[in-house]
Amino acid sequence: MAKIIGAVGTSHIPAIGGAIHKGVQNDPYWQPFFGGFPPVQQWLGQERPDVVVMFYNDHGLNFFLDKMPTFAVGAAPQYLSADEGWGIPAQPPVPGCQDLSWHLIEALTEREFDVVTCQEMLLDHAGTLPLKLLWPEGDGQGGWPVEIVPVCINTVQFPLPKPGRVYALGRAIGEAVAAWQSDKRVLFVGSGGLSHQLDGKRAGHINKGFDLQFLDSMVSNPEWATRYTNHELVELVGTQGVELLMWLAMRGALVAAGPGVREVHRNYHIPISNTATAVLALTT
Amino acid sequence: MAKIIGAVGTSHIPAIGGAIHKGVQNDPYWQPFFGGFPPVQQWLGQERPDVVVMFYNDHGLNFFLDKMPTFAVGAAPQYLSADEGWGIPAQPPVPGCQDLSWHLIEALTEREFDVVTCQEMLLDHAGTLPLKLLWPEGDGQGGWPVEIVPVCINTVQFPLPKPGRVYALGRAIGEAVAAWQSDKRVLFVGSGGLSHQLDGKRAGHINKGFDLQFLDSMVSNPEWATRYTNHELVELVGTQGVELLMWLAMRGALVAAGPGVREVHRNYHIPISNTATAVLALTT
Amino acid sequence: MLPEIEGTTPFDSTMARRGYALNKMCFSFNHQANREAFRADPEAYMRQYGLTPQQADAIRSGQVLAMLEAGGNAYYLAKFAGIFGLDMQDIGAQQTGMTKTEFQAKLVAANFQ
Amino acid sequence: MLPEIEGTTPFDSTMARRGYALNKMCFSFNHQANREAFRADPEAYMRQYGLTPQQADAIRSGQVLAMLEAGGNAYYLAKFAGIFGLDMQDIGAQQTGMTKTEFQAKLVAANFQ
Ligand SMILES: [Fe+3]
Ligand SMILES: [Fe+3]
């Protein structure tokens, strides 16, 4: 059976890619953000996952409103990046774990999740940056140390899937991974949030109190945020802060690893760009 | 509240479009098929639905394996047809009922169906032929007497949604229509089947016994076919016969119209092209 | 594992993975211009879509069973058949090793099952 | 009806219907060639995507609040902003009527909430 080694939640922001590209991670502006990652990198160096299930939200690169999925599961041999509109250089391709992709697609359909299957899929910054943050050497040229299965969750267009449904998706994926006939070591990543709002007169909205409570809930009370509707979450954490749904899915998946979740490391920093950023690593 | 006037199941086959185009509906080959429709047309002439919710399966016109939905709901102002590869002239566009589209998308998401939202969508023969069969004068030029909401269900790539899940989707849609704040009259259409198989050494497979039992079940025992897995359905009715899932969804939707389903008309004819064809109209 | 169905291969994950390039090419045949480009130079068109040697051989052979074995999906392959003006009964006859007349008779016989 | 959120319009069905053409144009800006085509002739490009008069005016004005009102979605509009080299803090400042420095200070102040 496959082994679940833990879960990581992290923010994603296009500007992070720009900072990596320019090599300014230690500048005073960026250090409080990038400084949160070495302890997580170290832990991953010991745990050596083979596969990442990446919960992320597309920002209008791979999906448009003509075919907007609620849940989409990648099943491609590799995932290319592309220009997202700002001319930032595309990330190197990431190899896919097709065996796990199809195992998940089959398990999810059996459990009445109605997923979109993607045998070809462009990965935007939300899918690629977590890999660069967790494995900074990744594809300098020596390849990536992991294969991935991207799971895209709609945060673009309402109605979004309900927080409880997203958590249940995560749980179903965790249980399917735990039952996967494989000797691979699997990590769950949730990419998004925390509180931020890009659009409207309330642009710049940040809710530190909620964020900190949400981070605590990830450790000890994982269903806590499912008490809110998505509309309430938008009010609390902003129109893009609702990306914390990715963390909910990631945390739901970790349930299958067993009881007794332990915090490996956390970091919280305001602001990068318009966002309250965080990284949190959990294991059992 | 909206009024559900009934449901119609019908076969679709590209060659039917060709026959209509050539005007050969009364030729000996075609008459036993087209002859099944006048009583249904008459009934619809009395009942005068305003909107059709069309359960159909795409045949590789609007969806490809790069983004293959389980369930997709149209939300377009109109639906265009297009060349499907055989150069058959495209059907005239059909107007969409966007109010009902979004009402359904919201209700389905609330009830934890994970649909794909399609604000632009090409409709293939499975979506357009039922309209031509039910309203033969439709868009000679005077427009169509109905607006539609297409609901596409994956029959292209396994895993398909389980028959019970498809039936539940239909039920949820029926209940949402019944709760829709509108004075519109709504018809459900299921487009597909019955038994046929296009591919493999078993091409030409037809199962009349199953088909007739399935038609009976539509009247009085609507969940009957949900006892089978999709794999079993393929064995029974063929690789494309599994399109009868569209009928299951249609019948599930009709449940919301109340008890006491009554058969308006049925016709069953073997073969058109490689298919055992049927039409069945139901009301309460 | 699911039980086998005689003469039938459901298009499952194994086939979907195997057939992606072939099906993508067939999907492109929705457009007249692409059908013409294929007709003008099939080999170049197949290279453009990165068909595997097995897939290219199957296309060259014109044998539907070989295309299915190479991961082709019936819904997409139908568009390839359209290029040659074949109808579904031609395809059925070819796959079952019957003449078209025999295949049509087999269909009609289903009335007396 | 859901309660209103101050200064915030969730991108719901009303906005999705209203903004389709505008968002489709912005989605096209993923490609460099399309960004250049827009820059070369904005009016022709907007006509090509069938923008409504309200949408075209909003684009001409360069005001993000007007684009949102016309049905624009933040994720797609970000690609339009990219054409002008605006970053998210420029956008935030414009929408809140602050200078960029003021907007940045507001963000930092969230540390002391
Ligand atoms: Fe984001
Ligand atoms: Fe069909």
Side-chain angles (χ1 to χ4, degrees), chain B residues 29 47 51-52 82 86 89 91 94 106 111 119 129 162 172 190 224 236 253 258 267:
Chain B
Y29 178 80
E47 290 294 336
V51 186
V52 169
W86 314 298
Q91 297 290 318
V94 184
E106 279 158 14
R111 296 181 61 164
Q119 289 200 63
L129 285 177
K162 295 196 290 183
W224 173 75
L236 287 163
N267 186 54

Side-chain angles (χ1 to χ4, degrees), chain A residues 20-281:
Chain A
I20 293 172
H21 186 62
K22 287 182 224 141
V24 295
Q25 292 96 323
N26 292 318
D27 284 12
Y29 180 79
W30 287 104
Q31 197 284 331
F33 172 74
F34 283 101
F37 287 88
V40 183
Q41 293 159 0
Q42 235 168 0
W43 169 67
L44 291 173
Q46 288 154 16
E47 291 293 336
R48 300 199 160 280
D50 304 297
V51 186
V52 169
V53 177
M54 173 77 71
F55 298 99
Y56 84 108
N57 59 294
D58 181 76
H59 296 66
L61 177 65
N62 196 62
F63 298 107
F64 183 60
L65 303 174
D66 62 332
K67 291 175 190 150
M68 182 54 66
T70 297
F71 300 136
V73 180
Q78 65 169 354
Y79 298 92
L80 303 183
S81 298
D83 185 349
E84 297 178 43
W86 314 298
I88 294 177
Q91 297 290 318
V94 184
C97 180
Q98 285 180 289
D99 286 345
L100 181 55
S101 288
W102 285 104
H103 175 71
L104 293 183
I105 288 162
E106 280 158 13
L108 288 169
T109 306
E110 178 60 31
R111 294 181 62 165
E112 310 207 327
F113 290 87
D114 315 309
V115 300
V116 176
T117 304
C118 301
Q119 288 199 64
E120 212 169 331
M121 196 178 194
L122 290 173
L123 214 54
D124 75 3
H125 67 277
T128 56
L129 286 178
L131 297 173
K132 284 304 283 181
L133 291 168
L134 299 178
W135 292 280
E137 311 299 321
D139 230 339
Q141 217 53 251
W144 291 96
V146 290
E147 297 178 334
I148 70 167
V149 177
V151 177
C152 182
I153 300 175
N154 170 33
T155 60
V156 171
Q157 180 185 275
F158 284 76
L160 313 185
K162 295 196 291 183
R165 180 68 172 168
V166 171
Y167 185 81
L169 174 83
R171 280 206 64 156
I173 286 178
E175 285 164 22
V177 168
W180 184 32
Q181 304 276 1
S182 163
D183 58 2
K184 303 278 187 189
R185 299 166 67 79
V186 179
L187 173 74
F188 300 117
V189 171
S191 169
L194 295 185
S195 62
H196 65 301
Q197 175 153 340
L198 303 180
D199 50 315
K201 288 189 183 155
R202 204 182 62 154
H205 174 75
I206 283 175
N207 186 341
K208 183 177 179 179
F210 184 95
D211 285 346
L212 297 180
Q213 196 167 1
F214 179 71
L215 287 170
D216 287 343
S217 79
M218 285 283 109
V219 183
S220 52
N221 189 9
E223 297 185 42
W224 174 75
T226 65
R227 73 187 56 195
Y228 298 107
T229 65
N230 284 314
H231 191 79
E232 288 165 343
L233 286 177
V234 166
E235 176 152 34
L236 287 163
V237 294
T239 41
Q240 282 74 41
V242 75
E243 291 179 349
L244 62 75
L245 291 175
M246 309 305 131
W247 292 54
L248 262 183
M250 162 209 88
R251 186 58 181 84
L254 189 61
V255 170
V261 164
R262 174 174 76 74
E263 182 171 326
V264 176
H265 184 70
R266 91 162 80 176
N267 186 53
Y268 182 76
H269 170 67
I270 301 171
I272 294 294
S273 186
N274 296 9
T275 303
T277 64
V279 60
L280 175 69

